[in-house]
């Protein structure tokens, strides 16, 4: 049997799911390339910064037998030679490549002091840095969270739930991706936690011990957490592959690169037909499975199918005792319906647990993962990574 080597760049939700699913074919050798030796539950990083949850999981606990893990970073993709140059100076060859580098936080460089004095929680190392800094402060030291999207809401509420005095600076309205009814549910839970919410005014400058707002207000801030915006790694662009304005790889509807038939993209770093799905593990897991299916179809000599997946909800933790599950149409537009309060927290926690359970299930039985289909994809470049 002729063997086919598939290299996956990125070991997040999409990449790990794809690695396990590729094992459906006995003639496929799978290599997962990731810069750290552990999988990161990114949707748990707001808990990691409070010290209440470890967001990293050993890959031995998630990857199926036969998947080779290489701990290194991709420096460049040489698409013509089907080779990836690594930061260590070595190279990895491939027959097919799945591009699943995910997304990362984007601190606005135009805001003076933001890059120098604020903390991000989009990566494990950044979250660990913030955890260390918080441990150096008095419990009553003021904390400012900049960014009123889902990540900002979860970070602010988690910190407040651990006794921190938190101000959430939204820039625009609180939770812009939510329906007004779901937004009220979130606002109510934030008030109960004592979070001060500043809507429709952004951060004009960040200093070591304060945040200056555009209306002139100066907020004392021993720690400033920046959650306003997400970007993607520039690996595809640096490698000369077509990307959208944010840097996501441009693909057709089968997730195949518009430049190269041997490269397939998945997760936050993919832009099928220039219309990416919302950055979320709710999108990444099915996209990882579908990217693997596209590769397996090409190996088998059959035509891969177009992306087919739908959304069901946006799930937001508002501390440990409350949550809001914002129900949505299949195209990801929010409806008036939501589940809030304690029941919302229970639903959110259950979904968080299932994301890892689904990956493990695919490792145990490749091809078993199923997802919601029949949706019309809605592009969004502004909504942040959350379930």
């Amino acid at each position: 049997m002729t063997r086919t080597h598939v290299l996956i760049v990125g070991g997040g939700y999409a990449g790990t799911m794809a690695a396990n699913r590729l094992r459906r074919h006995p003639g496929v050798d799978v290599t997962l390339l990731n810069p750290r030796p552990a999988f990161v539950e990114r949707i748990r990083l707001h808990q990691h910064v409070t010290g209440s949850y470890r967001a990293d999981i050993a890959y031995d606990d998630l990857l199926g037998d036969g998947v080779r893990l290489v701990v290194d970073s991709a420096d460049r993709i040489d698409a013509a030679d089907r080779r990836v140059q690594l930061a260590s100076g070595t190279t990895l060859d491939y027959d097919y490549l799945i591009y699943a580098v995910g997304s990362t936080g984007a601190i606005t460089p135009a805001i003076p002091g933001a890059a120098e004095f604020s903390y991000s929680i989009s990566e494990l190392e950044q979250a660990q840095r913030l955890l260390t800094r918080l441990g150096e402060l008095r419990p009553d030291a003021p904390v400012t969270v900049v960014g009123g999207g889902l990540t900002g809401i979860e970070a602010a509420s988690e910190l407040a739930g651990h006794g921190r005095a938190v101000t959430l600076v939204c820039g625009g309205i609180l939770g812009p991706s939510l329906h007004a009814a779901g937004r009220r549910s979130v606002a109510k839970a934030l008030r109960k936690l004592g979070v001060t919410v500043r809507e429709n005014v952004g951060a004009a400058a960040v200093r070591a011990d304060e945040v200056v707002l555009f209306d002139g207000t100066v907020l004392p801030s021993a720690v400033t957490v920046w959650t306003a915006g997400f970007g993607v790694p520039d690996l595809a662009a640096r490698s000369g592959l077509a990307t959208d304005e944010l840097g996501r790889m441009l693909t057709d509807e089968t997730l195949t690169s518009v430049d190269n038939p041997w490269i397939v993209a998945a997760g936050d770093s993919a832009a099928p037909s220039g219309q990416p799905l919302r950055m979320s593990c709710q999108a990444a897991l099915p996209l990882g499975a579908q990217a693997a299916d596209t590769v397996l179809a090409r190996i088998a000599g059959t035509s891969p199918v177009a992306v087919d997946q739908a959304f069901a909800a946006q799930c937001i933790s508002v501390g440990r005792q409350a949550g809001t599950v914002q129900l949505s149409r299949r195209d990801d537009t929010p409806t008036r319906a939501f589940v809030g309060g304690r029941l919302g927290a229970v639903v959110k926690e259950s979904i968080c647990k299932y994301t890892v359970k689904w990956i493990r299930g695919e490792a145990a039985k490749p091809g078993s993962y199923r997802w919601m289909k029949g949706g019309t994809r809605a592009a969004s470049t502004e909504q942040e990574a959350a379930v």
Side-chain angles (χ1 to χ4, degrees):
M1 177 187 294
T2 301
R3 304 199 64 79
T4 302
H5 180 217
V6 182
L7 173 62
I8 302 169
V9 181
Y13 294 99
T16 307
M17 174 62 75
N20 286 337
R21 196 171 185 89
L22 286 167
R23 294 167 53 250
R24 298 171 67 187
H25 194 305
V28 173
D29 295 322
V30 182
T31 298
L32 181 66
L33 174 67
N34 196 63
R36 61 178 68 87
F39 173 86
V40 176
E41 288 188 85
R42 190 169 178 183
I43 57 177
R44 300 278 201 178
L45 286 175
H46 61 283
Q47 294 176 255
H48 189 98
V49 300
T50 64
S52 61
Y53 189 95
R54 279 197 63 101
D56 53 328
I57 301 174
Y59 277 114
D60 289 346
D61 191 33
L62 292 179
L63 293 175
D65 294 340
V67 177
R68 176 193 176 203
L69 175 67
V70 174
V71 180
D72 207 331
S73 298
D75 187 61
R76 180 179 173 83
I77 300 168
D78 292 328
D81 294 330
R82 290 196 239 180
R83 179 178 299 134
V84 174
Q85 299 176 8
L86 306 183
S88 62
T90 60
T91 61
L92 289 173
D93 296 331
Y94 63 85
D95 295 306
Y96 289 92
L97 182 143
I98 294 181
Y99 186 81
V101 297
S103 58
T104 188
I107 295 178
T108 306
I111 304 301
E116 182 180 0
F117 296 116
S118 63
Y119 292 76
S120 173
I121 59 170
S122 61
E123 305 285 350
L124 179 65
E125 294 78 10
Q126 296 168 345
Q128 187 61 44
R129 177 171 167 258
L130 177 56
L131 172 62
T132 300
R133 175 58 180 151
L134 288 168
E136 298 169 347
L137 300 177
R138 302 187 321 271
D140 61 347
V143 177
T144 303
V145 177
V146 179
L150 306 189
T151 304
I153 291 168
E154 293 196 324
S157 59
E158 199 72 30
L159 290 166
H162 282 76
R164 296 291 179 179
V166 181
T167 298
L168 177 60
V169 176
C170 297
I173 61 173
L174 175 71
S177 65
L178 306 176
H179 187 279
R183 192 174 301 121
R184 287 192 292 271
S185 171
V186 169
K188 179 180 178 181
L190 288 171
R191 284 195 299 271
K192 286 185 176 181
L193 288 167
V195 176
T196 299
V197 178
R198 296 294 305 268
E199 292 187 276
N200 300 311
V201 59
V206 179
R207 297 168 184 160
D209 57 358
E210 61 187 19
V211 175
V212 181
L213 305 186
F214 276 106
D215 65 2
T217 301
V218 178
L219 301 175
S221 184
V223 169
T224 300
V225 184
W226 196 277
T227 69
F230 275 76
V232 299
D234 64 352
L235 176 61
R238 283 190 287 110
S239 301
L241 297 166
T243 66
D244 68 5
E245 69 284 350
L246 198 65
R248 289 170 290 216
M249 182 179 290
L250 291 176
T251 75
D252 63 16
E253 283 296 298
T254 72
L255 300 175
T256 303
S257 165
V258 297
D259 295 318
N260 191 290
W262 313 110
I263 298 177
V264 177
D268 292 352
S269 55
S273 300
Q275 295 185 321
L277 284 77
R278 172 166 56 90
M279 291 181 177
S280 61
C281 70
Q282 187 178 170
L285 289 172
L287 285 172
Q290 291 174 94
D293 288 348
T294 289
V295 171
L296 292 173
R298 295 195 184 280
I299 292 171
T302 60
S303 297
V305 300
V307 170
D308 185 3
Q309 71 182 76
F311 288 87
Q314 298 176 55
C315 303
I316 310 104
S317 296
V318 193
R320 292 297 90 206
Q321 302 302 315
T324 296
V325 180
Q326 169 67 73
L327 301 182
S328 68
R329 300 179 182 87
R330 289 175 177 253
D331 68 354
D332 202 30
T333 56
T335 69
R336 186 178 183 82
F338 70 91
V339 179
R342 179 59 185 163
L343 181 56
V346 171
V347 173
K348 169 63 189 288
E349 177 61 21
S350 176
I351 290 174
C352 286
K353 289 179 178 178
Y354 261 95
T355 60
V356 174
K357 184 176 179 179
W358 284 321
I359 294 172
R360 289 188 177 121
E362 191 69 13
K365 187 179 179 181
S368 62
Y369 174 65
R370 298 289 183 269
W371 61 92
M372 188 175 176
K373 298 182 180 181
T376 301
R377 297 190 296 102
S380 173
T381 60
E382 297 178 354
Q383 296 177 18
E384 292 133 312
V387 175

